[in-house]
Amino acid sequence: MFVVLRLCSWLVAAGLLIPLYAQGQSKPFAFPEACTACHGSVTKYPVRGVRSQYQTSGHRNLPDASYSNADGCQQCHTNEGFIEYATTGKVDLKALVSNPSEIGCFTCHAPHERGDFSLRKANAVKLANGVVFDRGKANLCANCHQARVMPKDEVRARPIVAAPWGAHHGPQSDMLLGTNAYEFPGKTYSKSAHGFLAEANCVTCHMTQPRQRYGLAPNIGGHSWRIGGEVHERPTLNLAGCTSSGCHKELKQVPNKDLVDVKAGGDYDADGKIETVQEEVAGLLERLINKQGTGLLQKARNPLYDVKGEFVLNNKTEQPIEIVAALYNYKFVLEDGSKGVHNTKYAVQLLMDSIKALDPKFDDSKRPQ
Ligand code: HEC
Ligand code: HEC
Ligand code: HEC
Ligand code: HEC
Ligand code: HEC
């Protein structure tokens, strides 16, 4: 833009544009036609509205690009790294992105090369364990929102030396398909409808916008990528993707709570009441680590988590496989972030089996099949 303006001012200075003014008022200034689809007063694409949503998003605001600018991290954490990956199929592990920028418009689109908002990369994605994720536009998300390791390489009797150990913070693609968490020998694992329906994809659920007055808020839906957020000082869930896809005719949120109003198929966490899916999953997670300090991972011998739920640096102590497996699954479900919505059956099975392995008295008779 700067260059274009600069050029114009030089041309004016050189007297070259003066004849244009002289010919009447119709076209005093000709903004390049090719740019007006996106930049101008009336645009073909809603760049400004999208930007105001984007500015509220985690992609914009979680400041990870600067410290994840090398060692392969740049592939998912920086705009520059992802473009390199999308263009060449890999990133140079030794290179440093010296001026990293956060994931932005040009990461996912290539508007200045293509003249539109088609997705930079939307082909099927092979997850770490070889399972293929193929759900249309959501393939873009799966490039980054996936586990970085496999439990078969990680889960065994061993010390756990650092707090971030695990699948890596965003295993949503694996969770959605119901794959690549630690599956206990002798148990069978299944998946909810979201595990196989093409319509259940990241873009439909996270980016569909509500279509009513007062429904729209920049911090939910569309390019905020968020389903739940504060709107008019109240926790609000945008469930337009779930209903307009035709999958759920009626789906509501629990009034004033950040919870989808879907009752669980049973009292999975064995607390004596059947709650919503997300409360049951939260209850299962709390059996492993909780604020009261009574979680199974907090009470184990040489515990990895203290009473406050903080990771204990415990470098050399070898942990038994049940602890390592339970921790792997705990983090897998917690960091998936949906509290069981992405794949209720798989999430519940993983947690119930992990709890049972540490507490043989745990009642797992309600385990979904
Ligand atoms: C298909 C849409 C599209 C077209 C066509 C388009 N742009 Fe852009 N342009 C964008 C988007 C998206 C941004 C980033 C906006 C943002 O950051 O919110 C952008 C940003 C810019 C910027 C700011 C650069 C930066 O890095 O922030 C300049 C300068 C620019 N465009 C110039 C042009 C010019 C000149 C043309 C025509 C030759 C053009 N654009 C055509 C979509 C487009
Ligand atoms: C395959 C893609 C991928 C790679 C490679 C990757 N990450 Fe991530 N990382 C993610 C995603 C996706 C998230 C966000 C998950 C979420 O919020 O659900 C994330 C989250 C994080 C977080 C938590 C950030 C927060 O604000 O909550 C940290 C810290 C992090 N990554 C560090 C790293 C480091 C350091 C490396 C390199 C050693 C790395 N990541 C490599 C995809 C990746
Ligand atoms: C993390 C990836 C990602 C980022 C970052 C991103 N987009 Fe998008 N964008 C998408 C996806 C996915 C779609 C398709 C949404 C759909 O089909 O509902 C889309 C759709 C669009 C559309 C609608 C296109 C059409 O043909 O109607 C526009 C306009 C757009 N993006 C502009 C932007 C702008 C401007 C930015 C930066 C402010 C941006 N996007 C950043 C992923 C991204
Ligand atoms: C280039 C890699 C990449 C792509 C592509 C990508 N994400 Fe992300 N996403 C991340 C990372 C990394 C984070 C963590 C914040 C950060 O560092 O930017 C994140 C954060 C998020 C968050 C916010 C999490 C939080 O804790 O607030 C959501 C929601 C999300 N992504 C959804 C999506 C969806 C849906 C798509 C596909 C349309 C997508 N992402 C595409 C890498 C990516
Ligand atoms: C069936 C609908 C659905 C699908 C498909 C889906 N999500 Fe979600 N997702 C949700 C719901 C509902 C939540 C919980 C939102 C809340 O409580 O705010 C959630 C939570 C999340 C979160 C944590 C909450 C946040 O905003 O930080 C992330 C990150 C996320 N999803 C990313 C993804 C990605 C990436 C995909 C594709 C691999 C995906 N989701 C597929 C419905 C869906």
Side-chain angles (χ1 to χ4, degrees):
M1 189 61 77
F2 183 67
V3 173
V4 175
L5 291 176
R6 201 46 188 268
L7 196 64
C8 289
S9 66
W10 289 335
L11 291 176
V12 171
L16 288 173
L17 279 181
I18 291 166
L20 250 178
Y21 287 97
Q23 278 165 18
Q25 300 305 307
S26 59
K27 265 197 170 176
F29 171 70
F31 189 71
E33 190 78 33
C35 318
T36 57
C38 302
H39 307 293
S41 307
V42 180
T43 54
K44 179 173 171 199
Y45 299 105
V47 172
R48 284 193 188 77
V50 166
R51 184 197 293 134
S52 59
Q53 299 179 321
Y54 164 76
Q55 277 168 344
T56 72
S57 75
H59 290 148
R60 172 69 188 85
N61 296 314
L62 297 173
D64 294 332
S66 302
Y67 74 82
S68 305
N69 62 333
D71 295 333
C73 319
Q74 70 266 39
Q75 178 177 321
C76 304
H77 284 276
T78 71
N79 167 63
E80 293 71 18
F82 188 72
I83 293 176
E84 184 187 350
Y85 173 68
T87 317
T88 68
K90 54 180 172 19
V91 290
D92 181 351
L93 295 177
K94 295 206 191 74
L96 198 72
V97 182
S98 51
N99 288 297
S101 63
E102 69 284 350
I103 295 157
C105 319
F106 290 77
T107 315
C108 299
H109 308 286
H112 287 173
E113 289 93 330
R114 301 187 188 170
D116 62 23
F117 282 96
S118 56
L119 300 181
R120 187 180 279 285
K121 189 166 172 7
N123 49 327
V125 173
K126 201 184 261 185
L127 302 179
N129 65 351
V131 169
V132 174
F133 183 102
D134 194 5
R135 299 229 175 143
K137 291 178 184 167
N139 293 345
L140 171 73
C141 323
N143 282 294
C144 303
H145 287 267
Q146 56 165 292
R148 301 186 62 208
V149 293
M150 287 186 278
K152 86 172 165 54
D153 297 332
E154 295 291 328
V155 178
R156 58 179 182 275
R158 60 177 288 177
I160 300 293
V161 297
W165 175 85
H168 196 69
H169 313 281
Q172 290 89 6
S173 304
D174 310 67
M175 176 62 93
L176 193 61
L177 298 191
T179 188
N180 206 23
Y182 182 77
E183 302 186 353
F184 287 82
K187 299 277 184 184
T188 50
Y189 291 84
S190 53
K191 47 185 98 166
S192 316
H194 295 166
F196 39 81
L197 290 176
E199 293 84 350
N201 72 63
C202 329
V203 172
T204 323
C205 293
H206 283 263
M207 294 183 74
T208 303
Q209 307 211 46
R211 294 202 178 274
Q212 79 261 12
R213 193 171 173 230
Y214 295 133
L216 281 172
N219 59 326
I220 55 169
H223 282 73
S224 75
W225 293 281
R226 210 175 280 111
I227 289 180
E230 283 276 282
V231 178
H232 303 310
E233 281 106 51
R234 286 197 188 153
T236 303
L237 293 183
N238 167 30
L239 301 175
C242 321
T243 50
S244 67
S245 60
C247 297
H248 297 272
K249 278 207 192 75
E250 283 268 314
L251 197 66
K252 298 216 164 68
Q253 86 179 84
V254 177
N256 294 323
K257 290 216 171 120
D258 189 9
L259 289 172
V260 186
D261 198 357
V262 174
K263 212 169 209 174
D267 177 18
Y268 302 138
D269 63 1
D271 68 351
K273 46 187 191 287
I274 302 179
E275 302 148 299
T276 63
V277 164
Q278 289 171 303
E279 288 167 305
E280 292 290 343
V281 169
L284 288 167
L285 288 168
E286 280 171 18
R287 280 185 168 266
L288 291 163
I289 298 180
N290 61 44
K291 290 206 182 76
Q292 297 76 47
T294 58
L296 292 163
L297 288 170
Q298 293 161 297
K299 289 196 314 187
R301 188 199 293 240
N302 301 313
L304 285 164
Y305 287 83
D306 68 14
V307 287
K308 289 198 196 123
E310 303 286 337
F311 184 75
V312 181
L313 217 53
N314 212 339
N315 284 343
K316 302 217 172 67
T317 316
E318 177 153 307
Q319 299 288 342
I321 183 163
E322 305 78 52
I323 294 278
V324 177
L327 179 60
Y328 194 89
N329 286 346
Y330 172 84
K331 296 187 98 178
F332 194 91
V333 177
L334 181 77
E335 294 184 337
D336 164 71
S338 72
K339 288 186 249 111
V341 173
H342 290 154
N343 195 332
T344 305
K345 272 191 191 163
Y346 195 57
V348 168
Q349 289 166 344
L350 295 172
L351 291 177
M352 288 182 88
D353 296 348
S354 301
I355 293 164
K356 187 76 177 173
L358 298 179
D359 175 12
K361 293 199 298 291
F362 175 63
D363 174 11
D364 66 350
S365 59
K366 301 292 181 318
R367 184 183 189 276
Q369 293 309 306

